[in-house]
């Protein structure tokens, strides 16, 4: 049974609720941002959400005592102005991610303390330097709005990021460290993504007038991992849903969208909604699974089907207190190939109690561990944590995992990545409206593509486009 | 024929014998706790007498070797004996794990583990010299392995209460 996200009247009462100006499909950050803007512009809006909760890829895990920790998207940082402005509007504060003391770099099972963002691997440093400098140079050549128009776009899109790094470096250090970052950023490796896609992704790690850089993407201080939301990132969505006052219908997966010159019919298991326009704010690969009538243009269908998610799990261990802080450790760890997690963070709530360590198990690590018995995976993750903060990590008070590949309405994470050839062949179809249907979502953003900021930005932009069409 | 060398180390692990036996019997898991095993390249799951498993092992510095072990003897919860090839110039490599259940003063269960290898050094005097040089390293490696094993079992928590329903065979 569909249920309403707020206490307001159920929208299932036939005439009023089944007919609305705009149906928004998906109550993640993008869909809710779009809905909010559309309502503010005076449109009647219904948001149809498949899950029985809002927030999509953001999800709060209850720690008890009114505290939460994030099991999905969580970090924000400089130049992510849209999600930060939204939080401001909603009265949701941020707090700095814990970043005091030394991080630990684990290579060959051995941990080394360091400060700053670049791990102290003397042999790998030249490769890292070369890779970062070349990426910086190449990203400047990629037009954010149309990466397929970059100089040598086809050549850049014919390579994977992996094959390009191997070509331009001597050892595997640069590649291994790139993969440690991509394990969480893509839920995949450099071998899974096209070079052009990756350059576009990095070029977007900024904002208008502030060019994107890889440093900002990987950084904690002054970077994308700098801050978190008080009360957890899902609060952005639950607050928006409350303010949408009964317009969000939960438990209503959209199965079919039919349109003609006069309007659109959106079908769920519990009935149909008619409207003038639709905003589809679901991940592209899931949009391709909706039954479209008429069919999606073949290029758009092909693009969305190919924009599949990486594979990512978050593993979090809860301790009575963040004992590592007293040892001068930030709880941050970077693992070079061969470990069970790719990177880890102190994920304690702002009060600092309880202590929480969070590890990303993504890409190659996900492949190695996702199918192992749960206790073996837990053991491997906690031993990786112990390499960073000591044996105290082996005995948490609680431990939980969130595997985003098992979420039917996400199917992976954190974002969609494009393999070679996809961007140059099909990229121009990404945001193109299909009749009365418009697209939104983190994967439809040029800046901070795949991030919460990208989701909010695209929700706002798509709402603006719909408002223009309707005026 | 060269004399047989035996290197033995003993440790007390603060984890129950049942779990120690389970993990040491898993032929796919040695890379997770045996120092120097980089990868298990072939295995047969829970150890069975007469069956084999193979490993890639670290030797000196970046050098590696491929070894194959055959399970020779299983005395449940007590003793496990395997014979291995691939460690030239050491011949007749035999690995022995022995276990004894302990009860600590606070009533919790522990395990005394004895980790031994036996082999015949080849290459005459050169082999014997290599053997002498490697013995302290071996002892340290055994102690590290047993500590790793304890850590692994501690980190895996209460397995009986664990729900493995999500696990599938890849
Ligand atoms: C583990 C993890 C870590 C991350 N870390 C960060 C981070 O630190 N910082 C950051 O900025 N970003 C991070 N992200 C990414 C970020 O969470 C997402 O980019 C963002 O939340 C996406 O928002 P969205 O609205 O575009 O999509 P979603 O959140 O995916 O929302 C789409 C909604 O559509 C619904 N839906 C799907 N199909 C249908 C259908 N047929 N009918 C109705 N509803 C449907 C879904 O249930 C969902 O609620 C992370 C993501 C994950 C998974």
């Amino acid at each position: 049974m569909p249920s309403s996200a707020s206490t307001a009247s159920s929208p299932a009462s036939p005439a009023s609720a089944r007919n609305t100006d705009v149906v928004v499909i998906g109550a993640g950050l993008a869909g809710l941002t779009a809905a909010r803007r559309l309502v503010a512009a005076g449109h009647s809006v219904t948001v149809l959400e498949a899950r029985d909760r809002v927030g999509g890829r953001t999800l709060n895990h209850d720690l008890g005592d009114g505290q939460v920790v994030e099991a999905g998207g969580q970090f924000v940082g400089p130049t992510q102005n849209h999600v930060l402005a939204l939080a401001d509007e909603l009265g949701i504060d941020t707090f700095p991610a814990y970043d005091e003391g030394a991080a630990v770099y684990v290579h060959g099972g051995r941990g080394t303390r360091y400060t700053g963002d670049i791990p102290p691997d003397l042999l790998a440093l030249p490769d890292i330097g070369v890779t970062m400098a070349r990426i910086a140079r190449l990203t400047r050549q990629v037009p954010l709005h149309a990466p397929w128009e970059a100089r040598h776009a086809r050549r850049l899109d014919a390579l994977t990021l992996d094959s390009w790094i191997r070509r331009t470096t001597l050892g595997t250090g640069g590649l291994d460290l790139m993969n440690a970052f991509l394990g969480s950023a893509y839920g995949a490796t450099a071998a899974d993504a096209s070079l052009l896609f990756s350059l576009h992704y990095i070029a977007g790690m900024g904002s208008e007038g502030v060019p994107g850089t890889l440093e900002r993407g990987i950084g904690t201080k002054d970077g994308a991992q700098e801050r978190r939301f008080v009360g957890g990132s899902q609060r952005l969505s639950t607050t928006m849903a409350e303010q949408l006052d009964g317009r969000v219908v939960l438990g209503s997966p959209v199965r079919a969208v039919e349109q003609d010159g006069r309007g659109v019919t959106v079908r769920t298991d519990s009935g149909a909604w008619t409207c003038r326009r639709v905003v589809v704010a679901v991940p592209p690969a899931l949009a391709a699974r909706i039954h479209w009538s008429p069919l999606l243009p073949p290029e758009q269908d092909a693009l969305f089907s190919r924009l599949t998610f990486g594979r990512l799990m978050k593993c979090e261990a809860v301790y009575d207190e963040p004992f590592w802080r007293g040892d001068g450790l930030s709880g941050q760890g970077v693992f070079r190939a061969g470990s069970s997690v790719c990177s880890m963070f102190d994920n304690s709530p702002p009060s600092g109690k309880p202590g929480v360590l969070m590890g990303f198990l993504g890409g190659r690590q996900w492949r190695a561990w996702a199918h192992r018995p749960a206790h073996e995976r837990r053991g491997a993750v906690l031993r990786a944590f112990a390499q960073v903060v000591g044996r105290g990590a082996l005995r948490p008070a609680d431990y939980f995992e969130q595997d985003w590949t098992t979420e039917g309405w996400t199917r992976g994470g954190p974002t969609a990545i494009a393999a070679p050839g996809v961007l140059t062949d099909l990229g121009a179809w990404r945001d193109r409206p299909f009749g009365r249907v418009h697209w939104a979502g983190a994967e439809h953003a040029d800046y901070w593509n795949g991030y919460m900021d990208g989701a909010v930005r695209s929700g706002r932009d798509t709402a603006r486009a719909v408002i223009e069409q309707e005026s | 024929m060269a004399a047989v060398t035996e290197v033995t180390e003993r440790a007390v692990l603060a984890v129950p014998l049942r779990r120690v036996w389970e993990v040491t019997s898993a032929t796919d898991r040695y890379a997770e706790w045996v120092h120097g095993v980089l990868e298990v390249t072939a295995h047969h799951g829970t150890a069975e007498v007469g069956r084999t498993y193979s490993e890639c092992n670290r030797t000196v510095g970046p050098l590696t070797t491929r070894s194959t072990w055959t399970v020779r003897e299983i005395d449940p919860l007590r003793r496990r004996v395997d014979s291995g090839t691939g460690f030239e110039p050491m011949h007749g490599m035999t690995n022995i794990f022995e276990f004894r259940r302990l009860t600590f003063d606070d009533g919790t269960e522990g395990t005394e583990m004895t980790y031994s290898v036996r082999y015949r050094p080849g290459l005459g005097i050169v082999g014997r010299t290599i053997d002498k040089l490697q013995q302290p390293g071996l002892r340290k490696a055994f102690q590290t392995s047993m500590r790793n094993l304890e850590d692994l079992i501690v980190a895996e928590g209460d397995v009986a209460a664990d729900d493995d329903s999500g696990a599938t065979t890849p």
Side-chain angles (χ1 to χ4, degrees), chain A residues 108 367 369-380 382-383 391 394-396, chain B residues 19 29 32 147-148 150-152 154-157 159 162-164 167-170:
Chain A
R367 271 203 302 277
W369 288 97
H371 300 292
R372 295 281 293 268
H375 69 270
E376 293 185 14
R377 189 169 54 247
R378 166 195 154 116
L382 294 179
R383 280 179 286 140
R391 296 179 80 219
L394 298 175
R395 296 178 191 269
Chain B
R19 289 288 295 131
R29 301 199 67 187
E32 290 177 57
R147 190 40 37 94
N148 291 345
E150 184 185 41
D151 283 355
L152 181 152
V154 168
E156 291 188 354
V159 173
D162 196 37
D163 174 18
D164 280 345
T168 52
T169 313

Side-chain angles (χ1 to χ4, degrees), chain A residues 25-31 48-51 53 55-58 71-76 80 225 252-255 281-283 286 290 312 314 360 404 409-410 412-414 440-443 450-453 455:
Chain A
I25 307 177
L29 282 168
L48 298 175
E49 167 55 48
R51 288 177 163 103
R53 64 168 181 85
R57 277 170 271 169
T58 59
Q74 65 174 69
F75 293 114
V76 282
Q80 298 187 349
Q225 282 66 235
S252 297
V254 168
R255 308 292 183 186
V282 312
L286 294 184
I290 293 174
L312 185 61
K314 259 186 170 181
F360 284 110
W404 286 88
W409 298 108
T410 302
E443 285 67 31
Y451 286 76
M452 294 187 286
D453 189 68

